[in-house]
Amino acid sequence: MGDDSGMDAVQRRLMFDDECILVDENDNVVGHDTKYNCHLMEKIEKYNLLHRAFSVFLFNSKYELLLQQRSGTKVTFPMVWTNTCCSHPLYRESELIPENALGVRNAAQRKLLDELGIPAEDVPVDQFTPLGRMLYKAPSDGKWGEHELDYLLFIVRDVAVSPNPDEVADIKYVNQDELKELLRKADAGEDGLKLSPWFRLVVDNFLFKWWDHVQKGTLPEAIDMKTIHKLI
């Protein structure tokens, strides 16, 4: 294990037990590998390992976006603020279903419970709207990083939240102006505030116009699941 000895026990178990779905740049499944290998920059660069992921943006009925701060024990991007939930569908039958991204939506429901304690009945899989896909690569530190084909899922629901401290350090709901203030602070380096690179990509490319659609009730107009946005 070399220099992994300091890895948190829960994160270590997840790193080796969870098998991510490997895809090519067109999102065709080409295999599977451990979460550990999928996040080692050395393997990402050597084998061009790309895995399927999702990012959930959950809004309450006031159209405020739920943000989370990743826990300090996370291997990648600890203590970084990000969107509601970011994770991976696993290489298992229920999370590989391609029709209307059902496998990814099943995974999103599973992880909202796992990370934020949101009960499955609060986030029915048919309530998620897959809006688009993006491909990006982002190093976390010298050793770890991300290379993901990320499904962007929106859902508007009032939910019960009970964060899992192994996964989440803090949560907050923000409106558009409050998020813009967070972005300003992150850019200015104030309060040590950091935002995840994938959240920043969504913010800079899509979020505010999609958020306007949420508030107007016109979200279906924003759906584009044909394009894979390569934001590298």
Side-chain angles (χ1 to χ4, degrees):
M1 302 285 280
D3 55 357
D4 299 327
S5 53
M7 196 187 292
D8 176 76
V10 172
Q11 297 299 328
R12 180 193 295 265
R13 177 175 58 76
L14 294 172
M15 273 285 179
F16 289 99
D17 289 357
D18 286 357
E19 291 266 327
C20 293
I21 301 165
L22 296 178
V23 293
D24 64 17
E25 294 204 344
N26 296 310
D27 200 21
N28 300 303
V29 177
V30 295
H32 53 95
D33 207 338
T34 62
K35 189 173 160 191
Y36 183 91
N37 282 344
C38 287
H39 291 83
L40 272 179
M41 282 312 291
E42 177 191 347
K43 303 252 183 187
I44 289 170
E45 299 294 359
K46 185 174 179 184
Y47 302 110
N48 199 31
L49 290 185
L50 175 65
H51 61 276
R52 192 176 283 165
F54 62 83
S55 288
V56 174
F57 293 75
L58 183 146
F59 301 85
N60 62 18
S61 55
K62 293 189 285 189
Y63 305 122
E64 295 168 325
L65 174 61
L66 180 60
L67 302 183
Q68 68 152 283
Q69 183 181 32
R70 293 163 64 85
S71 92
T73 62
K74 296 289 277 187
V75 175
T76 55
F77 304 101
M79 300 307 287
V80 167
W81 282 93
T82 190
N83 52 288
T84 314
C85 179
C86 323
S87 191
H88 321 96
L90 300 180
Y91 192 80
R92 55 171 69 156
E93 195 175 354
S94 63
E95 297 186 9
L96 282 160
I97 302 166
E99 287 77 24
N100 199 17
L102 180 57
V104 174
R105 289 183 286 128
N106 283 334
Q109 185 189 59
R110 170 177 61 81
K111 285 302 290 184
L112 285 167
L113 176 62
D114 183 35
E115 293 189 5
L116 293 160
I118 298 172
E121 56 267 26
D122 282 8
V123 283
V125 288
D126 63 355
Q127 295 297 304
F128 290 97
T129 302
L131 280 172
R133 292 176 290 174
M134 69 175 187
L135 195 163
Y136 76 95
K137 186 187 286 184
S140 171
D141 56 22
K143 180 173 182 178
W144 303 102
E146 293 287 3
H147 188 209
E148 294 189 331
L149 203 151
D150 197 10
Y151 283 67
L152 307 174
L153 307 176
F154 273 37
I155 184 167
V156 183
R157 301 281 289 187
D158 288 322
V159 297
V161 183
S162 173
N164 171 359
D166 285 322
E167 297 281 348
V168 177
D170 199 4
I171 57 166
K172 68 170 92 181
Y173 280 97
V174 293
N175 61 29
Q176 290 200 22
D177 288 339
E178 288 163 339
L179 179 57
K180 285 172 182 166
E181 175 61 11
L182 276 182
L183 296 171
R184 188 196 64 73
K185 281 187 171 174
D187 287 344
E190 285 179 28
D191 305 337
L193 193 85
K194 291 198 176 90
L195 300 176
S196 76
W198 61 87
F199 181 44
R200 195 63 204 243
L201 284 170
V202 177
V203 167
D204 291 345
N205 288 279
F206 313 111
L207 180 61
F208 289 106
K209 63 177 186 264
W210 286 354
W211 199 335
D212 289 340
H213 277 295
V214 169
Q215 291 175 310
K216 287 190 261 184
T218 54
L219 198 55
E221 291 176 22
I223 295 169
D224 172 13
M225 290 301 291
K226 291 192 174 66
T227 312
I228 297 172
H229 298 276
K230 293 188 175 159
L231 305 176
I232 297 216

